[in-house]
Amino acid sequence: MSVNVESVAMQRPTPSHEEQALVRAVNLCKSFPVARGSFGRVMGYLKAVDDVNLAIRPGETFGLVGESGCGKTTTGRLLLRLLNPTSGKVLYRGRDLATMSREELRLARREMQIIFQDPYSSLNPRMTVGAMLSEPLEVHGITDPSERDDRVVELLAKVGLKPFHMQRYPHEFSGGQRQRIGVARALSVNPKFIVCDEPVSALDVSIQSQVLNLLKELQSELGLTYLFVSHSLSVVRHVSDRVGVMYLGRLVELADEFDLYSNPKHPYTEALLSAVPVPDPEAHRQRIVLEGDVPNPVNPPSGCAFHPRCGRATDICSQERPEWRELGKNHFVACHLAD
């Protein structure tokens, strides 16, 4: 069942291309050791993120899409330094997060928050909503103790909840309400950048558009910048200004939303778009079926990671890794065959 998210489309900011990026990833890599045997001996490394470069401009929504396990969520957590990169760096307002002192990083994290995918497991079942929303205010010293309840009520109102909800526990809410609480918690420290890690994938179809509309309204009101991680291309299309496509830890295509959906350059992007349901029963779309499974990230293919499943692959695709190049205005792709 596809999600009707037409109501989510709102007027989006159009930052100039010369505007400095708020968040930038430079040659970002993350590998996890794979241990085997009774002694936990490391037998290899899983490359979750492999040489990713991207820049997120102030006020925009940057969509990140791809199959499960392609490294989308890991990328988002690296940008927040919830994970430390194996190599490469993350710049926030031009400063490397890895070189910040503990106090500088604490201050930076007030401006960088995350909305988790599962609205139930990400909430503490033993804390009331009021306690959960008050905790970050106390940790960061944002408000006086006498003003915290008023701030909690204000946060609940922003996400469509009532003051009496602050006395309740997570199990007393529906899935959509829990995600609204997650949004309120992210907003509590007045952030500038929020990673939305598949924020609607765990919700009922009827609730998804409500949460997406809420995120867009908050962005317009508060000037927020989003990294929107999702495997649903129909959702990403209607909430994003630019879209990056990931495959096996690598960024394979990046373009403005309209350009990428109307004129995809990478064979993997074409295959993903061919699987998106069309709401018109009279319309027909040629489905591109990918053969085989996603390769093992512990031992990725040589050359282009997508070549074992690509119907247009040639010898060079298995021998040389494609360069990241700009084919059109702000349209980047890593493919030997793209023109």
Side-chain angles (χ1 to χ4, degrees), residues 1-163:
M1 181 181 296
S2 61
V3 183
N4 181 10
V5 291
E6 293 293 340
S7 60
V8 179
M10 300 174 64
Q11 186 175 0
R12 303 188 179 107
T14 54
S16 64
H17 301 308
E18 292 77 17
E19 191 172 10
Q20 184 180 11
L22 181 67
V23 182
R24 186 185 299 272
V26 182
N27 303 122
L28 197 59
C29 298
K30 180 62 180 179
S31 298
F32 295 97
V34 177
R36 294 178 183 174
S38 57
F39 296 100
R41 183 172 145 190
V42 175
M43 303 297 294
Y45 290 87
L46 186 151
K47 295 182 178 180
V49 177
D50 188 5
D51 197 24
V52 167
N53 291 274
L54 58 86
I56 304 176
R57 304 174 188 134
E60 78 168 338
T61 299
F62 186 101
L64 199 57
V65 299
E67 293 174 287
S68 297
C70 71
K72 306 184 300 296
T73 293
T74 303
T75 299
R77 298 192 177 202
L78 288 170
L79 293 183
L80 298 177
R81 206 183 160 188
L82 295 177
L83 296 172
N84 289 318
T86 304
S87 62
K89 56 186 178 180
V90 176
L91 304 178
Y92 179 71
R93 297 188 184 273
R95 293 202 56 195
D96 188 351
L97 292 180
T99 64
M100 290 183 178
S101 66
R102 183 173 182 178
E103 179 62 19
E104 289 173 332
L105 184 61
R106 187 182 73 86
L107 293 175
R109 279 185 168 152
R110 285 177 54 172
E111 299 187 9
M112 308 170 71
Q113 292 294 306
I114 184 170
I115 300 170
F116 293 99
Q117 177 179 358
D118 187 346
Y120 188 73
S121 63
S122 63
L123 301 178
N124 190 332
R126 299 188 178 186
M127 294 179 69
T128 64
V129 170
M132 280 187 284
L133 298 184
S134 297
E135 186 177 40
L137 301 177
E138 180 181 357
V139 169
H140 291 281
I142 294 177
T143 60
D144 293 331
S146 60
E147 300 174 347
R148 284 177 192 153
D149 284 350
D150 292 337
R151 175 59 176 163
V152 169
V153 170
E154 179 185 349
L155 289 169
L156 291 174
K158 280 186 180 295
V159 298
L161 297 177
K162 302 298 183 181

Side-chain angles (χ1 to χ4, degrees), residues 45-294:
Y45 290 87
L46 186 151
K47 295 182 178 180
V49 177
D50 188 5
D51 197 24
V52 167
N53 291 274
L54 58 86
I56 304 176
R57 304 174 188 134
E60 78 168 338
T61 299
F62 186 101
L64 199 57
V65 299
E67 293 174 287
S68 297
C70 71
K72 306 184 300 296
T73 293
T74 303
T75 299
R77 298 192 177 202
L78 288 170
L79 293 183
L80 298 177
R81 206 183 160 188
L82 295 177
L83 296 172
N84 289 318
T86 304
S87 62
K89 56 186 178 180
V90 176
L91 304 178
Y92 179 71
R93 297 188 184 273
R95 293 202 56 195
D96 188 351
L97 292 180
T99 64
M100 290 183 178
S101 66
R102 183 173 182 178
E103 179 62 19
E104 289 173 332
L105 184 61
R106 187 182 73 86
L107 293 175
R109 279 185 168 152
R110 285 177 54 172
E111 299 187 9
M112 308 170 71
Q113 292 294 306
I114 184 170
I115 300 170
F116 293 99
Q117 177 179 358
D118 187 346
Y120 188 73
S121 63
S122 63
L123 301 178
N124 190 332
R126 299 188 178 186
M127 294 179 69
T128 64
V129 170
M132 280 187 284
L133 298 184
S134 297
E135 186 177 40
L137 301 177
E138 180 181 357
V139 169
H140 291 281
I142 294 177
T143 60
D144 293 331
S146 60
E147 300 174 347
R148 284 177 192 153
D149 284 350
D150 292 337
R151 175 59 176 163
V152 169
V153 170
E154 179 185 349
L155 289 169
L156 291 174
K158 280 186 180 295
V159 298
L161 297 177
K162 302 298 183 181
F164 62 83
H165 286 137
M166 64 186 296
Q167 305 298 332
R168 295 186 177 180
Y169 290 86
H171 71 272
E172 299 179 80
F173 295 91
S174 66
Q177 289 175 320
R178 291 183 195 129
Q179 195 60 291
R180 289 173 184 267
I181 296 168
V183 173
R185 182 174 57 182
L187 294 176
S188 62
V189 290
N190 302 315
K192 297 298 181 184
F193 173 62
I194 298 180
V195 173
C196 304
D197 183 13
E198 303 205 37
V200 298
S201 63
L203 305 180
D204 293 340
V205 174
S206 59
I207 305 300
Q208 292 185 9
S209 290
Q210 296 178 21
V211 175
L212 291 172
N213 275 324
L214 172 64
L215 291 174
K216 292 302 293 182
E217 290 167 4
L218 291 171
Q219 182 180 44
S220 177
E221 177 185 351
L222 304 175
L224 300 173
T225 302
Y226 292 144
L227 172 69
F228 195 95
V229 174
S230 179
H231 62 267
S232 174
L233 278 82
S234 60
V235 170
V236 168
R237 179 172 192 175
H238 291 284
V239 300
S240 301
D241 302 295
R242 291 187 299 144
V243 180
V245 181
M246 288 191 73
Y247 182 79
L248 206 65
R250 302 179 185 178
L251 203 60
V252 297
E253 189 165 4
L254 190 159
D256 294 338
E257 170 268 320
F258 178 81
D259 194 15
L260 184 132
Y261 280 81
S262 61
N263 187 26
K265 299 293 186 181
H266 198 282
Y268 178 61
T269 308
E270 295 177 355
L272 290 180
L273 293 177
S274 73
V276 177
V278 179
D280 184 0
E282 300 295 329
H284 297 280
R285 175 181 289 171
Q286 183 178 359
R287 177 72 186 274
I288 301 174
V289 180
L290 298 178
E291 298 181 359
D293 298 322
V294 178

